[in-house]
Amino acid sequence: GQNIDQPTEMTATEGAIVQINCTYQTSGFNGLFWYQQHAGEAPTFLSYNVLDGLEEKGRFSSFLSRSKGYSYLLLKELQMKDSASYLCAVMDSNYQLIWGAGTKLIIKP
Amino acid sequence: GAVVSQHPSWVICKSGTSVKIECRSLDFQATTMFWYRQFPKQSLMLMATSNEGSKATYEQGVEKDKFLINHASLTLSTLTVTSAHPEDSSFYICSATAAGEQFFGPGTRLTVL
């Protein structure tokens, strides 16, 4: 079956760095997405990786290793507003999105 | 965990035809379902909130007469794209809430020729 795994919850301190991991097993691969979702709001697109390597966008970076079925989202200089759920989703060979359950990130002062 | 399915997963249609997309919560009852649209590498755009037994609430800029939503039961919501045009080609994703959590469907890729 198809599966996306990410931690349920993580806690980090304001100003620090946190890495949210995502591992996947899917039927084919057409890219991996990271979304941020604040409670009660629609998910916001953060990144899309289809090739191996690191993509950096300001305080957020996303890494992909297709051979390992692994990605991570790196958040630097954490701010209180970064408290949210972070969703990992993989598009399979049929262009279907397989969603992770999301990681709830709690930022403490 | 809770599972949300969509059908069809992929549809190609001619301009002017209507397309119905189903969203089902397979192992739970969902009083509220959401319909999103996603353009390449962009955020999910919320189109409407669908409540069982009542009319859907549409976001600003979404034509309710073009995107018909029906939430006939606690496990099924449908989105019908009426008189589809090429600019309606997109990825449509639904989600359902249960116990305060949101679960997403796999999406439906619509291509209008």
Side-chain angles (χ1 to χ4, degrees):
Chain A
Q2 308 206 89
N3 195 49
I4 309 285
D5 283 316
Q6 52 181 129
T8 305
E9 187 175 294
M10 298 181 72
T11 303
T13 305
E14 191 177 13
I17 299 172
V18 71
Q19 177 174 311
I20 303 174
N21 295 324
C22 172
T23 58
Y24 63 90
Q25 289 178 306
T26 57
S27 302
F29 180 82
N30 276 301
L32 184 145
F33 298 80
W34 281 99
Y35 288 89
Q36 179 192 62
Q37 186 177 26
H38 287 99
E41 298 180 13
T44 303
F45 170 83
L46 291 177
S47 66
Y48 171 72
N49 294 65
V50 67
L51 298 176
D52 289 350
L54 186 68
E55 298 253 353
E56 297 186 73
K57 267 189 192 179
R59 293 190 300 115
F60 292 1
S61 303
S62 58
F63 171 82
L64 174 68
S65 169
R66 288 171 296 172
S67 62
K68 295 181 179 177
Y70 168 71
S71 172
Y72 67 72
L73 180 69
L74 191 71
L75 293 77
K76 302 176 186 175
E77 299 167 22
L78 286 170
Q79 302 175 9
M80 297 303 292
K81 66 178 182 180
D82 297 329
S83 291
S85 285
Y86 291 85
L87 302 166
C88 171
V90 173
M91 189 165 279
D92 68 10
S93 57
N94 293 316
Y95 295 95
Q96 292 284 281
L97 274 179
I98 314 300
W99 294 89
T103 298
K104 183 178 180 181
L105 178 63
I106 299 168
I107 309 296
K108 294 186 175 179
Chain B
V3 178
V4 175
S5 71
Q6 285 184 236
H7 177 81
S9 56
W10 192 304
V11 57
I12 301 173
C13 68
K14 291 183 179 179
S15 185
T17 60
S18 293
V19 175
K20 180 186 283 188
I21 303 170
E22 293 184 349
C23 176
R24 292 183 185 271
S25 56
L26 296 185
D27 49 4
F28 66 101
Q29 293 183 328
T31 53
T32 303
M33 289 184 172
F34 302 89
W35 285 98
Y36 297 88
R37 183 173 176 177
Q38 181 178 29
F39 293 98
K41 298 186 182 182
Q42 296 184 27
S43 291
L44 298 181
M45 184 194 80
L46 180 63
M47 298 174 67
T49 303
S50 169
N51 294 297
E52 186 266 337
S54 64
K55 289 184 179 179
T57 303
Y58 289 82
E59 296 298 301
Q60 194 170 11
V62 178
E63 299 175 62
K64 62 181 181 181
D65 295 330
K66 180 171 184 62
F67 299 98
L68 301 178
I69 292 172
N70 185 287
H71 195 155
S73 76
L74 288 170
T75 59
L76 173 65
S77 176
T78 60
L79 168 68
T80 301
V81 183
T82 62
S83 187
H85 288 96
E87 58 265 28
D88 298 323
S89 297
S90 190
F91 199 58
Y92 293 87
I93 301 168
C94 75
S95 71
T97 56
E101 284 192 69
Q102 193 173 19
F103 301 94
F104 290 89
T108 297
R109 181 168 294 280
L110 171 63
T111 301
V112 184
L113 303 176

